[in-house]
Amino acid sequence: MHSLGLLLVVASLAQAPSAPSTMGAKPPEGAVALFDGKGLEGWVGRNGKPAEWPVTDGLFTVGKGDILTEKTFSDFQLHLEFQTPYMPKATGQGRGNSGVYLQGIHELQILDSYGLKLQDNDCGAIYKQIIPSVNACKPPLQWQTYDITFHAAKFDGSKLVKKARLTVIQNGQSIIDDKEIVPTPGGVTLKDGEPGPLLLQDHGNTVQFRNIWIKPL
Ligand code: MG
């Protein structure tokens, strides 16, 4: 075998292990469907009024203002599907930006980061905190999955005993493996560790979502 061929074989073996796709996964027992393809009942704007993002054909599109769940959560497993829009003239944080705020305070970034060397503000990053270990992003206009396991921070009175912990699998590839996180900018006003909503960010780009469910742990 030529050395280039060997190099390619070694490179492919070195990729992160991939799990089966969870695209279209149904809510498991004990899970709550947060979007069943029909409407945004249970979601509100930051003003507390019903969410008004457009819902069409089993999906919804980022509209005006952030939206959040009325229900709040502590430790959970979350499944979410999203796709970024095609914005060939845009770059960086202006290309397919949205985000999922876990417990309302930790932003897991959504961005068109296909094929890029990832930074701490790219898709799959905990914003300005954790760079994903591998780029698992698909191109714009392709559905992607996030499968998230989140454990809330633990406090003893006002003393932080244990930081929040997070595992993220994007499109079947582990990108964040049981890492400690602290709150990121831009979320809701809530103390770390308190039960919080799921918040989806309006960053001015028409990111789309479907099939979202959450299972309290
Ligand atoms: Mg964002």
Side-chain angles (χ1 to χ4, degrees), residues 9 33 83 93:
V9 169
Q83 68 176 350
Q93 296 295 300

Side-chain angles (χ1 to χ4, degrees), residues 4-141:
L4 178 61
L6 184 62
L7 194 67
L8 290 173
V9 169
V10 170
S12 66
L13 288 173
Q15 281 182 355
S18 53
S21 169
T22 58
M23 193 75 75
K26 298 266 185 294
E29 189 156 338
V32 183
L34 295 176
F35 179 66
D36 61 2
K38 297 191 188 86
L40 286 171
E41 296 81 22
W43 293 81
V44 294
R46 282 186 182 250
N47 59 8
K49 293 189 178 154
E52 288 184 340
W53 288 10
V55 179
T56 45
D57 300 329
L59 58 92
F60 64 96
T61 305
V62 170
K64 196 153 175 50
D66 302 336
I67 62 170
L68 53 148
T69 58
E70 291 179 299
K71 286 199 172 84
T72 59
F73 306 94
S74 287
D75 300 353
F76 57 81
Q77 177 191 351
L78 170 70
H79 174 85
L80 180 144
E81 298 175 13
F82 67 94
Q83 68 176 350
T84 58
Y86 180 53
M87 303 177 68
K89 290 182 178 161
T91 57
Q93 296 295 300
R95 191 170 70 173
N97 196 335
S98 179
V100 188
Y101 280 81
L102 309 168
Q103 222 170 32
I105 54 174
H106 304 276
E107 183 185 6
L108 173 62
Q109 177 70 300
I110 289 178
L111 195 69
D112 175 6
S113 302
Y114 177 65
L116 301 179
K117 181 174 178 348
L118 297 184
Q119 310 291 324
D120 63 6
N121 56 6
D122 275 309
C123 200
I126 290 297
Y127 191 75
K128 292 288 186 185
Q129 260 180 65
I130 295 185
I131 303 173
S133 60
V134 62
N135 187 334
C137 301
K138 292 186 183 177
L141 303 180

Side-chain angles (χ1 to χ4, degrees), residues 129-130 162-166 177-182:
Q129 260 180 65
I130 295 185
K162 209 167 191 272
K163 287 180 181 170
R165 297 191 75 87
L166 178 71
D177 184 16
D178 197 27
K179 291 273 197 278
E180 291 187 333
I181 57 171
V182 294

